[in-house]
PDB file of all heavy atoms in Angstrom:
ATOM      1  N   GLN E 263     -15.650  39.845 -33.709  1.00 72.00           N
ATOM      2  CA  GLN E 263     -15.034  39.596 -32.430  1.00 72.00           C
ATOM      3  C   GLN E 263     -13.532  39.182 -32.614  1.00 72.00           C
ATOM      4  O   GLN E 263     -12.628  39.599 -31.908  1.00 72.00           O
ATOM      5  CB  GLN E 263     -15.761  38.544 -31.643  1.00 72.00           C
ATOM      6  CG  GLN E 263     -15.181  38.346 -30.261  1.00 72.00           C
ATOM      7  CD  GLN E 263     -15.879  37.175 -29.525  1.00 72.00           C
ATOM      8  OE1 GLN E 263     -16.173  36.119 -30.155  1.00 72.00           O
ATOM      9  NE2 GLN E 263     -16.221  37.340 -28.236  1.00 72.00           N
ATOM     10  N   ASN E 274       1.854  41.999 -35.125  1.00 80.00           N
ATOM     11  CA  ASN E 274       3.280  42.341 -35.330  1.00 80.00           C
ATOM     12  C   ASN E 274       4.218  41.627 -34.376  1.00 80.00           C
ATOM     13  O   ASN E 274       5.289  42.087 -34.097  1.00 80.00           O
ATOM     14  CB  ASN E 274       3.458  43.839 -35.159  1.00 80.00           C
ATOM     15  CG  ASN E 274       3.043  44.352 -33.804  1.00 80.00           C
ATOM     16  OD1 ASN E 274       2.306  43.672 -33.088  1.00 80.00           O
ATOM     17  ND2 ASN E 274       3.411  45.543 -33.463  1.00 80.00           N
ATOM     18  N   GLU E 322       4.913  18.320  -2.629  1.00 82.00           N
ATOM     19  CA  GLU E 322       5.964  17.301  -2.866  1.00 82.00           C
ATOM     20  C   GLU E 322       5.405  15.874  -2.705  1.00 82.00           C
ATOM     21  O   GLU E 322       6.078  14.916  -3.164  1.00 82.00           O
ATOM     22  CB  GLU E 322       7.109  17.495  -1.931  1.00 82.00           C
ATOM     23  CG  GLU E 322       7.916  18.734  -2.167  1.00 82.00           C
ATOM     24  CD  GLU E 322       9.123  18.868  -1.237  1.00 82.00           C
ATOM     25  OE1 GLU E 322       9.086  18.235  -0.185  1.00 82.00           O
ATOM     26  OE2 GLU E 322      10.047  19.604  -1.618  1.00 82.00           O
ATOM     27  N   LYS E 335       9.101  27.113 -17.069  1.00 96.00           N
ATOM     28  CA  LYS E 335       9.900  27.924 -17.980  1.00 96.00           C
ATOM     29  C   LYS E 335      10.567  29.039 -17.152  1.00 96.00           C
ATOM     30  O   LYS E 335       9.936  29.638 -16.271  1.00 96.00           O
ATOM     31  CB  LYS E 335       9.040  28.531 -19.098  1.00 96.00           C
ATOM     32  CG  LYS E 335       8.382  27.495 -20.000  1.00 96.00           C
ATOM     33  CD  LYS E 335       7.528  28.212 -21.101  1.00 96.00           C
ATOM     34  CE  LYS E 335       6.815  27.224 -21.997  1.00 96.00           C
ATOM     35  NZ  LYS E 335       7.806  26.569 -22.915  1.00 96.00           N
ATOM     36  N   GLY E 352      -2.075  39.522  -8.390  1.00 94.00           N
ATOM     37  CA  GLY E 352      -0.655  39.521  -8.073  1.00 94.00           C
ATOM     38  C   GLY E 352       0.188  40.388  -9.005  1.00 94.00           C
ATOM     39  O   GLY E 352      -0.278  41.352  -9.643  1.00 94.00           O
ATOM     40  N   LEU E 367       1.997  31.930 -12.512  1.00 96.00           N
ATOM     41  CA  LEU E 367       1.309  30.858 -13.205  1.00 96.00           C
ATOM     42  C   LEU E 367       0.413  31.365 -14.287  1.00 96.00           C
ATOM     43  O   LEU E 367      -0.250  32.364 -14.156  1.00 96.00           O
ATOM     44  CB  LEU E 367       0.420  30.051 -12.149  1.00 96.00           C
ATOM     45  CG  LEU E 367       1.122  29.398 -11.028  1.00 96.00           C
ATOM     46  CD1 LEU E 367       0.162  28.754 -10.065  1.00 96.00           C
ATOM     47  CD2 LEU E 367       2.180  28.353 -11.490  1.00 96.00           C
ATOM     48  N   GLU E 419      20.121  29.860 -10.848  1.00 92.00           N
ATOM     49  CA  GLU E 419      20.749  29.591  -9.556  1.00 92.00           C
ATOM     50  C   GLU E 419      20.101  28.463  -8.781  1.00 92.00           C
ATOM     51  O   GLU E 419      20.736  27.775  -8.033  1.00 92.00           O
ATOM     52  CB  GLU E 419      20.737  30.868  -8.721  1.00 92.00           C
ATOM     53  CG  GLU E 419      21.573  32.042  -9.267  1.00 92.00           C
ATOM     54  CD  GLU E 419      21.447  33.256  -8.459  1.00 92.00           C
ATOM     55  OE1 GLU E 419      20.651  33.276  -7.499  1.00 92.00           O
ATOM     56  OE2 GLU E 419      22.163  34.211  -8.744  1.00 92.00           O
ATOM     57  N   PRO E 447      16.662  35.124 -38.213  1.00 89.00           N
ATOM     58  CA  PRO E 447      17.600  33.966 -38.222  1.00 89.00           C
ATOM     59  C   PRO E 447      19.052  34.372 -38.397  1.00 89.00           C
ATOM     60  O   PRO E 447      19.886  33.779 -37.800  1.00 89.00           O
ATOM     61  CB  PRO E 447      17.052  33.180 -39.421  1.00 89.00           C
ATOM     62  CG  PRO E 447      15.655  33.569 -39.539  1.00 89.00           C
ATOM     63  CD  PRO E 447      15.622  34.994 -39.193  1.00 89.00           C
ATOM     64  N   PRO E 463       2.396  33.798 -34.400  1.00 74.00           N
ATOM     65  CA  PRO E 463       1.294  33.235 -33.648  1.00 74.00           C
ATOM     66  C   PRO E 463      -0.062  33.781 -33.977  1.00 74.00           C
ATOM     67  O   PRO E 463      -1.085  33.181 -33.729  1.00 74.00           O
ATOM     68  CB  PRO E 463       1.633  33.504 -32.209  1.00 74.00           C
ATOM     69  CG  PRO E 463       2.633  34.615 -32.220  1.00 74.00           C
ATOM     70  CD  PRO E 463       3.362  34.507 -33.504  1.00 74.00           C
ATOM     71  N   SER E 465      -1.193  34.208 -36.915  1.00 66.00           N
ATOM     72  CA  SER E 465      -1.697  33.669 -38.146  1.00 66.00           C
ATOM     73  C   SER E 465      -2.860  32.723 -37.926  1.00 66.00           C
ATOM     74  O   SER E 465      -3.781  32.550 -38.738  1.00 66.00           O
ATOM     75  CB  SER E 465      -0.584  32.917 -38.898  1.00 66.00           C
ATOM     76  OG  SER E 465      -0.048  31.873 -38.128  1.00 66.00           O
ATOM     77  N   GLN E 468      -5.877  34.829 -37.617  1.00 59.00           N
ATOM     78  CA  GLN E 468      -6.199  35.401 -38.935  1.00 59.00           C
ATOM     79  C   GLN E 468      -6.896  34.316 -39.808  1.00 59.00           C
ATOM     80  O   GLN E 468      -7.825  34.635 -40.540  1.00 59.00           O
ATOM     81  CB  GLN E 468      -4.910  35.897 -39.619  1.00 59.00           C
ATOM     82  CG  GLN E 468      -4.262  37.105 -38.904  1.00 59.00           C
ATOM     83  CD  GLN E 468      -3.019  37.578 -39.589  1.00 59.00           C
ATOM     84  OE1 GLN E 468      -2.923  37.529 -40.822  1.00 59.00           O
ATOM     85  NE2 GLN E 468      -2.029  37.928 -38.833  1.00 59.00           N
ATOM     86  N   THR E 478     -21.456  29.251 -43.779  1.00 59.00           N
ATOM     87  CA  THR E 478     -22.510  30.170 -43.972  1.00 59.00           C
ATOM     88  C   THR E 478     -23.345  29.924 -45.257  1.00 59.00           C
ATOM     89  O   THR E 478     -24.517  30.010 -45.294  1.00 59.00           O
ATOM     90  CB  THR E 478     -21.919  31.643 -44.057  1.00 59.00           C
ATOM     91  OG1 THR E 478     -21.221  31.918 -42.826  1.00 59.00           O
ATOM     92  CG2 THR E 478     -22.986  32.673 -44.292  1.00 59.00           C
ATOM     93  N   LEU E 489     -37.391  29.998 -47.417  1.00 68.00           N
ATOM     94  CA  LEU E 489     -37.945  31.119 -48.136  1.00 68.00           C
ATOM     95  C   LEU E 489     -38.791  30.677 -49.380  1.00 68.00           C
ATOM     96  O   LEU E 489     -39.895  31.245 -49.588  1.00 68.00           O
ATOM     97  CB  LEU E 489     -36.869  32.060 -48.579  1.00 68.00           C
ATOM     98  CG  LEU E 489     -37.227  33.425 -49.187  1.00 68.00           C
ATOM     99  CD1 LEU E 489     -38.080  34.191 -48.150  1.00 68.00           C
ATOM    100  CD2 LEU E 489     -36.043  34.220 -49.613  1.00 68.00           C
ATOM    101  N   ILE E 501     -53.889  32.212 -54.959  1.00 75.00           N
ATOM    102  CA  ILE E 501     -54.775  31.417 -55.853  1.00 75.00           C
ATOM    103  C   ILE E 501     -56.111  31.301 -55.169  1.00 75.00           C
ATOM    104  O   ILE E 501     -57.203  31.454 -55.798  1.00 75.00           O
ATOM    105  CB  ILE E 501     -54.158  30.054 -56.180  1.00 75.00           C
ATOM    106  CG1 ILE E 501     -52.972  30.250 -57.077  1.00 75.00           C
ATOM    107  CG2 ILE E 501     -55.187  29.194 -56.819  1.00 75.00           C
ATOM    108  CD1 ILE E 501     -52.193  28.969 -57.413  1.00 75.00           C
ATOM    109  N   ILE E 511     -63.838  40.522 -58.742  1.00 68.00           N
ATOM    110  CA  ILE E 511     -63.072  40.715 -59.995  1.00 68.00           C
ATOM    111  C   ILE E 511     -64.059  41.019 -61.154  1.00 68.00           C
ATOM    112  O   ILE E 511     -63.840  41.961 -61.919  1.00 68.00           O
ATOM    113  CB  ILE E 511     -62.238  39.492 -60.363  1.00 68.00           C
ATOM    114  CG1 ILE E 511     -61.181  39.300 -59.213  1.00 68.00           C
ATOM    115  CG2 ILE E 511     -61.597  39.612 -61.670  1.00 68.00           C
ATOM    116  CD1 ILE E 511     -60.434  37.938 -59.282  1.00 68.00           C
ATOM    117  N   PHE E 528     -53.440  42.230 -57.940  1.00 76.00           N
ATOM    118  CA  PHE E 528     -53.105  40.998 -57.269  1.00 76.00           C
ATOM    119  C   PHE E 528     -51.588  40.838 -57.070  1.00 76.00           C
ATOM    120  O   PHE E 528     -51.105  40.229 -56.115  1.00 76.00           O
ATOM    121  CB  PHE E 528     -53.698  39.767 -57.994  1.00 76.00           C
ATOM    122  CG  PHE E 528     -55.132  39.635 -57.686  1.00 76.00           C
ATOM    123  CD1 PHE E 528     -56.131  40.187 -58.510  1.00 76.00           C
ATOM    124  CD2 PHE E 528     -55.556  38.878 -56.577  1.00 76.00           C
ATOM    125  CE1 PHE E 528     -57.442  40.041 -58.233  1.00 76.00           C
ATOM    126  CE2 PHE E 528     -56.912  38.740 -56.327  1.00 76.00           C
ATOM    127  CZ  PHE E 528     -57.877  39.321 -57.107  1.00 76.00           C
ATOM    128  N   ALA E 550     -32.451  37.671 -33.059  1.00 88.00           N
ATOM    129  CA  ALA E 550     -31.703  36.462 -32.781  1.00 88.00           C
ATOM    130  C   ALA E 550     -30.180  36.688 -32.782  1.00 88.00           C
ATOM    131  O   ALA E 550     -29.465  36.151 -31.952  1.00 88.00           O
ATOM    132  CB  ALA E 550     -32.076  35.342 -33.814  1.00 88.00           C
ATOM    133  N   ALA E 578     -38.883  39.617 -54.728  1.00 84.00           N
ATOM    134  CA  ALA E 578     -38.775  38.841 -55.925  1.00 84.00           C
ATOM    135  C   ALA E 578     -39.703  37.598 -55.783  1.00 84.00           C
ATOM    136  O   ALA E 578     -40.430  37.223 -56.709  1.00 84.00           O
ATOM    137  CB  ALA E 578     -37.334  38.396 -56.127  1.00 84.00           C
ATOM    138  N   TYR E 586     -48.846  34.212 -61.448  1.00 75.00           N
ATOM    139  CA  TYR E 586     -49.859  33.316 -61.970  1.00 75.00           C
ATOM    140  C   TYR E 586     -51.271  33.562 -61.470  1.00 75.00           C
ATOM    141  O   TYR E 586     -52.247  33.687 -62.268  1.00 75.00           O
ATOM    142  CB  TYR E 586     -49.509  31.833 -61.658  1.00 75.00           C
ATOM    143  CG  TYR E 586     -50.563  30.866 -62.023  1.00 75.00           C
ATOM    144  CD1 TYR E 586     -50.797  30.537 -63.362  1.00 75.00           C
ATOM    145  CD2 TYR E 586     -51.344  30.268 -61.036  1.00 75.00           C
ATOM    146  CE1 TYR E 586     -51.851  29.643 -63.693  1.00 75.00           C
ATOM    147  CE2 TYR E 586     -52.287  29.334 -61.364  1.00 75.00           C
ATOM    148  CZ  TYR E 586     -52.542  29.051 -62.735  1.00 75.00           C
ATOM    149  OH  TYR E 586     -53.536  28.172 -63.034  1.00 75.00           O
TER     150      TYR E 586
END
Side-chain angles (χ1 to χ4, degrees):
Q263 184 185 42
N274 59 344
E322 291 183 340
K335 298 177 181 289
L367 300 176
E419 296 178 354
S465 59
Q468 294 180 39
T478 301
L489 187 59
I501 291 175
I511 296 169
F528 282 91
Y586 173 71

